[in-house]
Amino acid sequence: MDDKARQILSSVFGYSDYRYHQQAVIHQLIQGHDAVVLMPTGGGKSLCYQIPAMARNGVGIVISPLIALMQDQVVALQQLGVRAAFLNSTLDTEMAYAVEQQLRHGDLDLLYVAPERLMTDRFLNLLEQAPIALFAIDEAHCVSQWGHDFRPEYIRLSVLHERFPDIPRIALTATADEATRKEIIQRLALENAELFVSGFDRPNICYSISQTQGNAREELLRFIRNEHENDAGIVYCLSRKKVEQTAEWLSSKNLKALPYHAGLSAQVRQLHQQRFLKEDGIIIVATIAFGMGIDKPDVRFVAHLNLPKSIEAYYQETGRAGRDGLPANAWMMYGLQDVIMLKQMMETSDADAAHKRVEHHKLQSMLGFSELTTCRRQALLKYFDDYLEQPCGNCDTCLTPVETWDATVVAQKALSCVYKTGQRFGVTYLIDILLGKDNDRIRQFAHDTLSVYGIGKELDARQWRSIYRQLIARNLLSVDIEGHGNLRLTEQCRPVLRGELTLHLRKETRQEKSQQRGRKSIRNIKQADSTLWEALRHCRKTLAEERGVPPFVIFHDATLMEMVDRQPRTQEQFSKITGVGEKKLGAYADAFIKVIEQHINSNTDTSSSTDTMEETLRLLRSGMKADEIANHRNLKPATIYNHLAKSIEQGEIELHQAVDLTDSEIKTIQNAFLNFSDEDKKLKPVYEALEGEFDYGLLQCVKASVNELI
Ligand code: ADP
Ligand code: ZN
């Protein structure tokens, strides 16, 4: 059976090796046991149940909350020649009936169902009549009431265990934390399942977070222009309004940006999602409502224009970039306003105290993460109890180390200013006091008489905002619940005020500086290769349009990149490319091989001139004279002299190697060039001046050597 699984891996999916725990998980299921699988996004969770479903007798039932995704997955499987179908509310009765018939007749390898459909008595009865290979519960963290993707129907999935005790079950998720893991096991009755936890690192994602100086949008544009021209990406904003504005603004800058949020009609959302999947280089600007159903492998960047509420959310949202394993960017820019707003939202939410505490803790962790001055990946993995020994070298703090400074004294000034003014004011006012501004409000409160008035003139307003942001982020200050943005001291600020704790804060760098990161880019293909890359992409696009599927369903970028590298020209060579299984080999190899051949042929036209010159030189070095070479190669003497002249010019050979002339003859001709030739060094006047004594070919060679002299 394990052999059979491996056979499926290579012949159906076109992969040569398993990844992470795939092999062990597949083995476990084939043996008829249960499994809980935690694997990062893009890690390859699907294969964990797809392969055993095919290897085992019967159909694999896949439960997924993501209706939008089902169809895409089924189409992709069908492209591989797998007998797959889905059942959800988007099918009409007739179509649903047809799928049920297939199920009854054992004509399916995989069936995707929405949980609410699965739970109907009718469907459960139907399942009892069909041979079942396994149950796969995808996005298993949806059982967690603490998580943001909670689905009540998921809780009832433990029924499967009661009604089908002998059928192996597998639960899968990319959500990492311990609490969720426990909930999955308990709620789905998977106590006997083996747990497979893969590391959570996404090494191909480059993380970077910077602090806005009020120009986040411009920075985003610059980031896209510099690093992601024509790439697909997602931009996350907190509010619908900001989504609309940002999408509009990016469009006005000639980018293909589309809005996506819950306030848009279902049709518009569907349309934008489809364009994102099928067209090249679409940028979706979205609230977090977008993404869960998106399985697009070649999203090259995820940008946040606001802070996510937790590290889990950040990890999940950024995780939508680079599922194909190629380099991708997670870029975020946020500011003081974000911090204040999120804190307020949290304070004013009507969640119960326990929830609030958890949320507050999560936000605090996110803020701490954003302000880090050490490797982001190390911190991110540590948060999920994972471990990375060395700084990663692929995050902003690794690429451009952050400078810190001892900010204890300024922090004390900032904190005392809050205290002395009665903890009733917001940042802008506090900074005015520190800077000793003269205005009515300050005079009205007689704050110009305070000891803190004007004690902060060593910094400017921008720098003070940064200080306040960092103090709030470190929870030394809290934001009021009334929603005016007033700051209050927290318990934690005492040691700083008393001078018992030195505080190191990040020095704000100018944005230009942080942009100079040495990025690995997918576009780093050589110039010559990029023509082939574009040609292959074009071929893929045509095939995709003919079949009405997204381009990545034909082949992933990674597969095209491998074609660029290896330039396969036979079916045999083509079948060795990762991602090429038997079905796709049969369906697409010819088309792509043709493109590769055309590319190679058009290139040899230029390279043939080097080849033919090489041949002339080879014969020359073997002792032949120019005329003999011409004879031997059946070419005109002029062509051979052309080769020789070029070689002389390029310093490959000396003049006397190329021509049979005495030194004095050479001198004569050289002089003729210097005396008789015009600016362009035409041959004719020299030929005539020397009364036709020397052939044009000889003159050409001497001229080449004169060029060298000048
Ligand atoms: P996940 O569901 O964990 O996010 P997927 O199952 O969608 O990830 O897999 C991510 C990508 O990796 C897919 O394109 C998949 O085909 C590819 N993949 C999975 N397993 C392997 C493997 N063993 N070798 C090469 N590519 C793989
Ligand atoms: Zn790092």
Side-chain angles (χ1 to χ4, degrees), residues 9 13-20 22 39-51 73 80 138-139 172-174 202 295 297 319 323-325 552 556 578-579:
L9 177 75
F13 294 95
Y15 299 143
S16 49
D17 283 303
Y18 289 114
R19 275 189 193 161
Y20 295 104
Q22 279 175 338
M39 211 183 257
T41 309
K45 283 185 284 300
S46 331
L47 283 195
C48 293
Y49 55 82
Q50 287 168 346
I51 289 182
Q73 277 171 338
L80 298 169
D138 208 0
E139 313 290 344
L172 310 106
T173 179
R202 300 284 313 278
D295 210 353
R323 294 171 78 107
D324 54 11
F552 59 79
H556 281 186
T578 309

Side-chain angles (χ1 to χ4, degrees), residues 536 539-540 543 555 574 588-596:
L536 292 171
C539 174
R540 174 175 69 174
L543 292 170
F555 284 128
F574 200 85
Y588 308 128
D590 288 345
F592 285 95
I593 289 177
K594 202 165 146 208
V595 172
I596 293 166

